[in-house]
Amino acid sequence: MAVVGNYPLPPNSNPSPRTKHSQERKQIIYLLQKCKNINQITPIHAQIIRNGHEQDPFIVFELLRVSSNCNSIDYASKVFQQIQNPNVYLYTALIDGFVKSGSYLDGIRVYSQMVEACVMPDNYVVGSVLKACGSQLGLKEGREIHAQALKLSLSSSRSVRMKLVELYGKCGEFEDAWRVFDEMPERDIVALTVMISCYVDHGLVEEARNIFDGVQTKDTVCWTAMIDGFVRNGEMNKALELFRDMQREGMRPNEVTIVCVLSVCSQLGALELGRWVHSYVGKYGIELNHFVGSALINMYSRCGSIDEAE
DNA sequence: ACTTGAATGT
């Protein structure tokens, strides 16, 4: 008698190597994305090498991003150096990492290496390196990359235009900044907010105010940028006036707004005002995050109420 | 596989 039946094979009992690889990749990427610090990354990295995924661009992309996000740009940089022919995504991830850690020159250097390796830039990597140029006041490099982007037809993307506005604005080249702005398809509130901050950076608060007044529908970030502009210029009363105006117009402050206004209270030594601003925490979804917390401690200690600084 | 962006003093 037959003791072994002729059963049909269950589905996926013999997956192709391609499918198996793809599942492993998904699994590794999932594990990487959960990492909160470098100590969680290294064992996964070791496993990646053991399993021969060291050159898999999707996995390496995730490894670079998560390392950068865990403040381990040096680690990301070492990982990158092991890659044989990095593609434009990997270059972008590394440049973003350097920008995030404040190493703008390194970001520009990596872009230059990419160009030397004849890897074709796309609008994402151009946006990343322009961000580095703007933060570094690298006007010369920024202009060259702008010209190159025009030749490659990469200058029409929103992010590239935004970063060009930021580059020229930070460098005080306002004519060029407005020229890029005027080529944008719409009056972009984000770009206008950037311009407000750039004028303030250059001590041109009146000009910033004129731009601000010309914005039809101001959002919280735009209001906050202008409030911060007055704070940085020492015009505390104008900052407070704007804080009232924004709420009169039905706009809610957020954590950043509160940090700015608490800074006003600190500098004025206005304890009662500070307590009132403190009462915003918990309302409107305003959280007691790290920034708000230290602004509160600072305000109370500078206003002479050490016990409330707790 | 990324980019709906921008703003955080003492």
Side-chain angles (χ1 to χ4, degrees):
Chain A
M1 68 175 78
V3 293
V4 176
N6 190 15
Y7 304 115
L9 288 172
N12 292 332
S13 70
N14 186 19
S16 71
R18 180 78 202 146
T19 304
K20 181 162 175 279
H21 177 84
S22 154
Q23 280 173 352
E24 267 181 33
R25 169 193 279 164
K26 261 174 128 175
Q27 166 93 16
I28 292 168
I29 288 173
Y30 172 76
L31 289 175
L32 282 173
Q33 285 172 342
K34 285 200 311 186
C35 291
K36 285 300 291 172
N37 62 58
I38 190 66
N39 295 329
Q40 298 171 332
I41 295 172
T42 45
I44 300 173
H45 187 195
Q47 188 195 339
I48 288 168
I49 295 169
R50 268 202 309 277
N51 294 0
H53 297 309
E54 204 185 6
Q55 299 291 325
D56 182 321
F58 290 79
I59 287 173
V60 174
F61 176 78
E62 215 53 53
L63 194 50
L64 293 177
R65 285 201 86 88
V66 76
S67 303
S68 303
N69 287 336
C70 293
N71 296 318
S72 301
I73 182 61
D74 292 343
Y75 195 83
S77 187
K78 289 202 181 88
V79 170
F80 184 86
Q81 283 167 23
Q82 305 301 316
I83 306 308
Q84 276 141 23
N85 288 302
N87 63 23
V88 69
Y89 291 96
L90 302 186
Y91 278 104
T92 308
L94 187 63
I95 293 170
D96 281 345
F98 277 126
V99 167
K100 197 167 306 181
S101 74
S103 308
Y104 308 117
L105 280 176
D106 285 322
I108 297 170
R109 205 169 292 134
V110 169
Y111 181 80
S112 154
Q113 286 166 11
M114 190 196 78
V115 170
E116 276 171 29
C118 293
V119 172
M120 182 62 69
D122 64 9
N123 51 350
Y124 295 114
V125 77
V126 167
S128 294
V129 73
L130 284 174
K131 176 86 184 173
C133 291
S135 308
Q136 185 66 30
L137 304 185
L139 185 58
K140 182 172 167 290
E141 296 85 351
R143 283 195 195 283
E144 288 172 11
I145 291 163
H146 185 182
Q148 178 73 7
L150 285 168
K151 278 188 199 150
L152 297 175
S153 302
L154 297 175
S155 60
S156 60
S157 88
R158 173 134 187 261
S159 68
V160 168
R161 287 175 156 153
M162 199 77 71
K163 271 130 190 168
L164 283 169
V165 168
E166 189 180 37
L167 164 76
Y168 291 129
K170 282 195 168 164
C171 294
E173 301 285 309
F174 296 114
E175 302 263 330
D176 289 310
W178 286 122
R179 193 170 302 129
V180 175
F181 178 85
D182 290 337
E183 288 162 2
M184 294 173 84
E186 58 189 35
R187 273 179 68 81
D188 193 305
I189 189 172
V190 176
L192 287 171
T193 305
V194 168
M195 288 302 282
I196 288 169
S197 294
C198 290
Y199 275 99
V200 171
D201 281 343
H202 287 81
L204 302 168
V205 184
E206 282 309 308
E207 286 82 348
R209 180 64 195 252
N210 287 336
I211 298 165
F212 176 79
D213 286 341
V215 179
Q216 296 90 339
T217 51
K218 306 173 179 67
D219 62 11
T220 296
V221 179
C222 188
W223 280 100
T224 305
M226 193 65 240
I227 291 171
D228 177 59
F230 284 129
V231 176
R232 281 158 63 194
N233 203 47
E235 300 183 77
M236 304 305 167
N237 289 326
K238 286 193 179 174
L240 290 175
E241 194 181 328
L242 227 49
F243 181 59
R244 282 189 295 264
D245 288 347
M246 80 178 283
Q247 292 170 86
R248 198 175 301 140
E249 298 193 16
M251 194 59 59
R252 289 176 176 182
N254 64 14
E255 286 86 354
V256 183
T257 324
I258 296 304
V259 169
C260 290
V261 180
L262 283 173
S263 160
V264 173
C265 302
S266 297
Q267 296 182 52
L268 293 179
L271 181 58
E272 283 311 311
L273 187 61
R275 288 198 181 109
W276 175 63
V277 177
H278 187 172
S279 77
Y280 278 76
V281 177
K283 290 195 291 194
Y284 310 134
I286 294 171
E287 293 172 19
L288 184 58
N289 63 20
H290 174 258
F291 292 113
V292 174
S294 45
L296 278 171
I297 290 169
N298 195 270
M299 183 276 293
Y300 280 125
S301 53
R302 286 185 55 115
C303 291
S305 182
I306 308 294
D307 44 328
E308 282 178 278
E310 41 193 342

